């Protein structure tokens, strides 16, 4: 459990730093996720924190909305999930998720914690920040994604397969044989590694 908490803390801190660096006029900037602005990327991450709490009967604490203050909204959601991970009983509580029955901690680790580096890339690209993903996160994500059975990957690429409006992966983006590990990962999950702000 401590390792899961440590990984989440590291990834959340990196994402929070990117949110804090966004300038007010950049929140409406388009992101590599079609139809999402920079603000929408943070909104998705905050919403996914709520999804982590729901199976154990919790909800996000009262906080400013992403529309009002994206940084405050993320910090509050992060504190709620860190409180979950810090409580050994809650962290070990088993709950039903769309992917099966997991402990609450594993649910966090495999969903929102894994999302943070990838959506951190989206936010960085949208707002002109350094979009380098931690090489350890690239390695872990690649190992996880490349181990998925083809039928599950296809399901991930099917809009709505996990709920209305949910699209886990986009269509694969081909990359060159000499592509970096980060670019290979991004292409696999449906991101164009060469995406540039319009």
């Amino acid at each position: 459990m401590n390792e899961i908490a440590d990984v989440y803390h590291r990834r959340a801190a990196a994402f929070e730093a990117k949110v804090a660096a966004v300038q007010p006029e950049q929140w409406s900037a388009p992101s590599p996720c079609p139809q999402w602005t920079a603000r929408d990327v943070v909104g998705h991450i905050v919403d996914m924190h709520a999804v982590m709490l729901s199976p154990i009967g919790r909800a996000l604490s009262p906080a400013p909305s992403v529309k009002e203050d994206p940084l405050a909204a993320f910090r509050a959601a992060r504190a709620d999930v860190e409180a979950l991970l810090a409580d050994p009983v809650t962290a070990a509580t088993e709950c039903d998720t769309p992917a099966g029955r997991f402990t609450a901690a594993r649910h966090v680790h495999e969903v929102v914690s894994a999302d943070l580096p990838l959506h951190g890339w989206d936010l960085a690209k949208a707002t002109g920040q350094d979009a380098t993903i931690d090489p350890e996160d690239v390695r872990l994500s690649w190992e996880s994604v490349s181990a998925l059975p083809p039928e599950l990957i296809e399901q991930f690429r099917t809009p709505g397969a996990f709920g209305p409006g949910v699209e886990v992966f986009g269509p694969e983006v081909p990359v060159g044989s000499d592509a970096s590990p980060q670019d290979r990962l991004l292409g696999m999950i449906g991101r164009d590694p060469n995406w540039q702000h319009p």
Side-chain angles (χ1 to χ4, degrees):
M1 295 299 180
N2 287 341
E3 184 179 352
I4 286 176
D6 289 346
V7 170
Y8 171 82
H9 179 80
R10 174 177 61 78
R11 290 170 171 172
F15 187 83
E16 183 174 315
K18 290 180 173 66
V19 177
V22 177
Q23 299 303 306
E25 69 276 7
Q26 293 179 313
W27 284 116
S28 60
S31 81
C33 297
Q35 287 128 25
W36 278 8
T37 64
R39 189 185 303 273
D40 293 331
V41 172
V42 180
H44 168 74
I45 286 293
V46 170
D47 288 346
M48 290 307 297
H49 279 66
V51 170
M52 300 300 98
L53 299 172
S54 179
I56 57 167
R58 295 187 184 181
L60 294 176
S61 299
S65 70
V66 173
K67 184 175 181 180
E68 295 167 323
D69 188 336
L71 180 58
F74 175 72
R75 282 176 169 163
R78 175 186 174 184
D80 288 336
V81 166
E82 289 189 327
L84 178 164
L85 295 174
D87 179 344
V89 175
T90 305
T93 300
E94 291 201 344
C95 53
D96 292 315
T97 79
R101 191 163 179 82
F102 296 149
T103 64
R106 184 181 169 197
H107 192 207
V108 168
H109 184 66
E110 298 203 357
V111 180
V112 78
S113 182
D115 268 1
L116 284 167
L118 302 173
H119 286 304
W121 181 87
D122 295 326
L123 185 61
K125 293 293 280 188
T127 57
Q129 300 184 50
D130 180 2
T132 304
I133 301 172
D134 186 304
E136 177 67 2
D137 288 327
V138 171
R139 183 185 70 80
L140 292 171
S141 293
W142 178 259
E143 287 179 357
S144 176
V145 170
S146 59
L148 294 171
E151 61 272 17
L152 186 54
I153 291 181
E154 188 60 34
Q155 192 176 9
F156 281 176
R157 297 195 197 283
T158 304
F162 290 92
V166 176
E167 184 175 342
V168 182
F169 294 167
E172 184 172 359
V173 177
V175 298
S177 58
D178 60 345
S180 69
Q182 175 172 308
D183 286 357
R184 290 202 306 274
L185 172 64
L186 290 167
M188 169 67 82
I189 66 170
R191 301 288 199 280
D192 178 0
N194 297 314
W195 187 91
Q196 295 295 327
H197 193 292

